[in-house]
Amino acid sequence: MKTENKFYVILFTFTITFVFVVILSYINSLTYDKVLENRGYFKVRAILNAMRIDFSDKMDAIEKFKKYVKKINIGGKDFYVSNVGEKVYAYVFSGNGLWGTITGVVALNKNLDRIVGVDIISQNETPGLGGRIEEDWFKEQFRGEKVDKEIGIKKSEKLGDSNKENYSVDAITGATLTSKFFVKIINNTISEMRKVLRGDTYE
């Protein structure tokens, strides 16, 4: 058969495509359970981090999650509650970043007026710029922040705002838009949590 023949080209393309689809499907079936397991662990890890519950490794995280965290449903929404020390509420959020969906966890104290912690489950922001929302210094700014009104974003030469009473966090240098999108998600999530758990939003 001449390789210039159109039928040959179509048959060759179809065969190669079919072979790769079969191989990818087989690999996907082999790794599917592991992928689900890892997704579940990333969520557990983020909830524990946001609630400030320490763990040493994957097994320890799963054990402490089962022991200390309870899932409740209020108003059709799933919340996670921990009574290790002060009562803490956590909620898994999902919102638009600059380049894709940002999924993570916000945890609030029992009065819903201060952030206990935030953590990221997944994001698609630019590595080295917006992707720095996963860095500890950025997330640490939110810890203990007063949130009876919305948090704002500001540009600063410092690496993180340590004032927990000014309703403000520092933007990531070179990634102001991602910082703004992230803070907007946090504000919307807190407003939703207060609305469902306490019946109000912001003062």
Side-chain angles (χ1 to χ4, degrees):
M1 182 181 295
K2 293 182 179 179
T3 57
E4 294 82 5
N5 186 296
K6 287 184 180 179
F7 177 74
Y8 172 83
V9 173
I10 293 172
L11 181 63
F12 178 79
T13 304
F14 175 80
T15 304
I16 291 297
T17 302
F18 179 76
V19 169
F20 275 103
V21 167
V22 170
I23 292 173
L24 289 175
S25 297
Y26 178 68
I27 293 173
N28 182 60
S29 67
L30 290 178
T31 60
Y32 183 73
D33 290 341
K34 192 67 178 177
V35 170
L36 285 183
E37 180 185 327
N38 285 335
R39 282 181 185 169
Y41 169 61
F42 292 157
K43 183 177 177 180
V44 165
R45 183 180 64 181
I47 291 171
L48 292 178
N49 284 336
M51 287 180 156
R52 320 306 295 188
I53 298 175
D54 294 330
F55 56 92
S56 58
D57 53 32
K58 184 176 180 178
M59 289 302 297
D60 189 40
I62 293 171
E63 288 179 8
K64 285 186 175 174
F65 183 82
K66 290 178 179 176
K67 184 176 181 180
Y68 298 125
V69 180
K70 181 181 178 183
K71 183 178 177 180
I72 60 173
N73 186 284
I74 301 176
K77 297 185 180 296
D78 291 331
F79 294 90
Y80 297 88
V81 183
S82 169
N83 287 307
V84 180
E86 184 187 49
K87 191 171 189 177
V88 174
Y89 295 95
Y91 185 73
V92 177
F93 64 77
S94 188
N96 294 326
L98 181 60
W99 298 111
T101 301
I102 299 174
T103 304
V105 179
V106 174
L108 299 179
N109 66 351
K110 66 178 181 180
N111 295 325
L112 307 177
D113 60 3
R114 286 194 187 271
I115 295 176
V116 174
V118 301
D119 202 16
I120 309 293
I121 297 174
S122 64
Q123 52 89 10
N124 299 291
E125 301 305 292
T126 307
L129 292 173
R132 296 181 67 199
I133 58 174
E134 293 209 49
E135 293 183 4
D136 288 341
W137 73 267
F138 183 74
K139 295 184 292 185
E140 195 64 23
Q141 296 183 94
F142 295 88
R143 182 181 182 184
E145 189 73 28
K146 197 172 183 181
V147 289
D148 49 6
K149 62 181 184 181
E150 289 193 345
I151 302 171
I153 193 88
K154 60 184 174 60
K155 294 181 180 180
S156 170
E157 297 299 321
K158 296 184 296 183
L159 199 63
D161 181 284
S162 59
N163 187 337
K164 304 302 179 184
E165 308 292 332
N166 64 354
Y167 307 96
S168 181
V169 294
D170 287 349
I172 299 168
T173 302
T176 304
L177 284 178
T178 293
S179 303
K180 287 181 178 178
F181 277 111
F182 187 75
V183 168
K184 182 180 180 182
I185 294 171
I186 296 297
N187 282 329
N188 289 342
T189 301
I190 292 171
S191 178
E192 189 67 23
M193 290 176 73
R194 291 166 65 97
K195 182 179 178 181
V196 175
L197 294 172
R198 206 169 72 174
D200 63 8
T201 53
Y202 289 107
E203 293 175 349

